[in-house]
Amino acid sequence: MRATMLTTLATIAPVFLMIAAGYAARRLGIMPEGSGALLTRFVTWIALPVLMFHIAATTDWRAVWDNEFVLVSLLGSVILYIIGLGIGRLRGLPIADIAVDGLNASYSNAAYLGLPLFLLAIGPMSAPYVIVAASLTLMSLFALAVGTIELGHHRSQGVLHALAKAGAGVIKNPVLALSLAGVAWWLTGVKLPDVAERFTHLLGGAASPAALVAIGLFLAERPLAEAVGNRFVLALTGAKLVAHPLITALMAYGLLGMRGLPAFMAVAIAALPTGTGPFMVAGFYARDGKVTSGTILMTTLISVVTLSILLASLPR
């Protein structure tokens, strides 16, 4: 247990340090007011879409696909997205805002945090599961969130009009559009040219670090205690770190009778802290990011303990 906790802490520490770097840069006046919003715009319009294209176009989907794992991962994430919507409604938020809380409760930090953590704790056999979960849940949850937001924006104009606008909004969203473009490229069977592969890898790799620095910049302009002590932050933290892995475990081990590494990885990925996706969506659609930044910070901090317990106790 102690070794597992040290491994988890060593992997999660850079997340805190990048948030702290943004926080310190703003407090010291190195970065001006509003720089967090600009950095978030870079992530959501450039770095993250390019990253998703790279992942979708270069992953060998036939080799990494596991039907039961995909089903459990997607269902668990969708159920938690709905729970997050409920927490958002308790906050009295409009539909366009509760979508972000849906992501806060369901969006695991699989690509940036899960991949290195599970490589250290489990080994290279964990990587295909993380890649599938990171790609599919990102695309599906982003599609749900964008659709929910667009419905909220246009529902006053009638249900059919709102649904049409939501569909158009999903297609036009740069993250989803380039994800689909990457899948289309992969389906051609043509290898991505070396120049394009290196370009998308380098630029896409800036997405998570830049988003974490942006969170630090955002927190520096608001009372930190208010962000992490908010009762809704605590509710979303409980949903992400307790309800998400518990519901996924019940489906995997109980409902489907899964065993071995696929079941273990489904639950372990569900137990990861909230990633930067909700913060990016909040910035893209100009929604309030106070609760989101607090949730990312709290889930990342507490997951040092919860992930250590889970990794030490789950059967593999």
Side-chain angles (χ1 to χ4, degrees):
M1 172 72 76
R2 185 177 178 183
T4 303
M5 185 169 289
L6 288 174
T7 298
T8 306
L9 181 60
T11 307
I12 288 176
V15 174
F16 290 117
L17 292 175
M18 279 183 272
I19 293 174
Y23 187 88
R26 179 68 191 97
R27 285 294 187 179
L28 294 172
I30 297 171
M31 300 292 283
E33 185 176 354
S35 54
L38 290 174
L39 189 55
T40 301
R41 191 169 180 81
F42 158 74
V43 171
T44 54
W45 279 97
I46 301 174
L48 184 60
V50 168
L51 173 64
M52 290 314 301
F53 176 84
H54 175 86
I55 291 173
T58 59
T59 298
D60 184 357
W61 294 105
R62 292 188 187 91
V64 300
W65 195 266
D66 183 303
N67 287 331
E68 288 187 334
F69 171 82
V70 169
L71 178 63
V72 166
S73 294
L74 286 178
L75 278 179
S77 296
V78 170
I79 290 170
L80 263 294
Y81 179 81
I82 295 170
I83 290 173
L85 294 183
I87 294 173
R89 289 302 282 175
L90 290 176
R91 292 173 62 195
L93 298 176
I95 292 177
D97 287 282
I98 67 173
V100 180
D101 276 352
L103 289 179
N104 286 334
S106 61
Y107 188 97
S108 291
N109 193 350
Y112 182 74
L113 186 57
L115 192 59
L117 173 62
F118 297 138
L119 280 174
L120 283 172
I122 301 168
M125 70 284 294
S126 65
Y129 297 100
V130 179
I131 291 169
V132 169
S135 304
L136 290 181
T137 57
L138 187 151
M139 286 187 278
S140 59
L141 289 175
F142 261 66
L144 276 174
V146 171
T148 305
I149 291 170
E150 294 290 347
L151 279 172
H153 284 163
H154 301 285
R155 66 174 179 162
S156 62
Q157 297 169 292
V159 176
L160 291 178
H161 179 83
L163 288 173
K165 285 291 185 181
V170 169
I171 294 170
K172 291 178 182 177
N173 183 278
V175 175
L176 298 171
L178 283 191
S179 296
L180 293 174
V183 172
W185 183 282
W186 176 78
L187 287 172
T188 66
V190 178
K191 184 179 181 295
L192 202 64
D194 288 343
V195 172
E197 198 280 334
R198 289 196 298 270
F199 165 73
T200 54
H201 174 74
L202 289 171
L203 183 54
S208 285
L212 290 168
V213 172
I215 290 169
L217 292 168
F218 183 87
L219 289 171
E221 295 179 356
R222 291 155 180 80
L224 187 57
E226 180 185 333
V228 299
N230 186 300
R231 63 194 176 102
F232 294 109
V233 168
L234 299 178
L236 289 164
T237 298
K240 183 69 197 73
L241 296 183
V242 179
H244 197 176
L246 179 60
I247 288 172
T248 303
L250 288 173
M251 288 192 297
Y253 291 101
L255 187 61
L256 294 182
M258 294 172 63
R259 294 293 183 269
L261 190 60
F264 176 88
M265 289 304 304
V267 178
I269 291 169
L272 289 168
T274 302
T276 54
F279 189 80
M280 297 175 196
V281 170
F284 186 84
Y285 286 100
R287 315 321 297 177
D288 181 28
K290 179 175 67 177
V291 167
T292 296
S293 56
T295 302
I296 293 171
L297 198 60
M298 285 292 286
T299 55
T300 303
L301 177 63
I302 297 173
S303 68
V304 174
V305 176
T306 57
L307 275 171
S308 299
I309 295 171
L310 184 139
L311 290 173
S313 60
L314 267 181
R316 304 182 197 182

